[in-house]
Amino acid sequence: MKHYLGNSGAPMKLPVDEMLSDEKDFQRHVERSHLNREAEWREQALAEYERNGGRAVAIPVETPNADYSFQKASDENWFFAVGSTRSNVTGVVTAVPGADGKPVVSLDYQVNVWDRYNWDQGKHVDVWLYEIPDGEMGQQHKVGLAQEFNMAGSSSVKHYELGSGAAVPGPDEPGRAGERSDPGRGARDGGGEIDR
């Protein structure tokens, strides 16, 4: 909201590792919507590995976009700061000869998240006892007192061996830089990074 009212329209970088760490439902959404292709990707990499005569192969992968809405009940901060986003996963599946001669298939991937910070007519948000129509907040943009902006970010790169039976890696612990518990927070100018 502060960035919106700052009226610059500058893009804002979303801290995706922090989003995944804070909001377990969002992490589950990524696993169900994007990382559920393990068998398909493994089979594709093994087939290419065989066609390549048992030499290492690398195959780029990208999942379709999927929408996610943060819920006020599970994480009020992300609900008010971002609301809803689109996400996907991009990465590379590799198949390389293992020590025992059998191929090892791995995925290196990032979670990508993006949206446009705007206030759409016909929606509203409840803050404490007050219902705030999105159209009223959007009016600030229309009259030049605020500026909509794009938000986007990517997680750190994760490595996952496909077919190993191991759990999908959890998000990196992002630290708490910039939040209310960060002593240096007051010195920041509020532009460029998300300020929840």
Side-chain angles (χ1 to χ4, degrees), residues 129-141:
L129 301 174
Y130 304 100
E131 180 181 293
I132 302 172
D134 281 19
E136 285 184 23
M137 291 304 299
Q139 189 66 20
Q140 305 301 310
H141 171 80

Side-chain angles (χ1 to χ4, degrees), residues 16-24 27 171-174 176:
V16 178
D17 285 319
E18 187 175 329
M19 295 167 83
L20 290 162
S21 180
D22 288 350
E23 177 56 67
K24 299 306 178 203
Q27 187 177 343
D172 286 352
E173 286 302 320
R176 306 319 298 165

Side-chain angles (χ1 to χ4, degrees), residues 16-56:
V16 178
D17 285 319
E18 187 175 329
M19 295 167 83
L20 290 162
S21 180
D22 288 350
E23 177 56 67
K24 299 306 178 203
D25 286 341
F26 182 52
Q27 187 177 343
R28 284 188 286 275
H29 161 77
V30 168
E31 291 174 14
R32 283 191 309 265
S33 299
H34 303 302
L35 297 176
N36 60 353
R37 294 167 170 79
E38 177 176 345
E40 170 193 338
W41 288 341
R42 180 175 166 74
E43 184 178 309
Q44 183 183 3
L46 288 173
E48 192 61 32
Y49 179 84
E50 290 301 317
R51 276 194 292 276
N52 201 32
R55 292 187 305 272

Side-chain angles (χ1 to χ4, degrees), residues 108-122:
D108 292 287
Y109 69 93
Q110 286 183 296
V111 178
N112 309 297
V113 178
W114 66 94
D115 194 26
R116 181 147 179 92
Y117 187 93
N118 57 12
W119 294 85
D120 299 326
Q121 188 73 29

Side-chain angles (χ1 to χ4, degrees), residues 61-100:
V61 294
E62 181 174 359
T63 65
N65 304 338
D67 294 329
Y68 181 80
S69 293
F70 291 93
Q71 301 301 309
K72 187 176 180 181
S74 59
D75 195 305
E76 205 170 74
N77 286 329
W78 289 114
F79 172 77
F80 285 119
V82 175
S84 296
T85 64
R86 305 217 72 193
S87 65
N88 79 348
V89 163
T90 53
V92 176
V93 176
T94 57
V96 299
D100 60 0

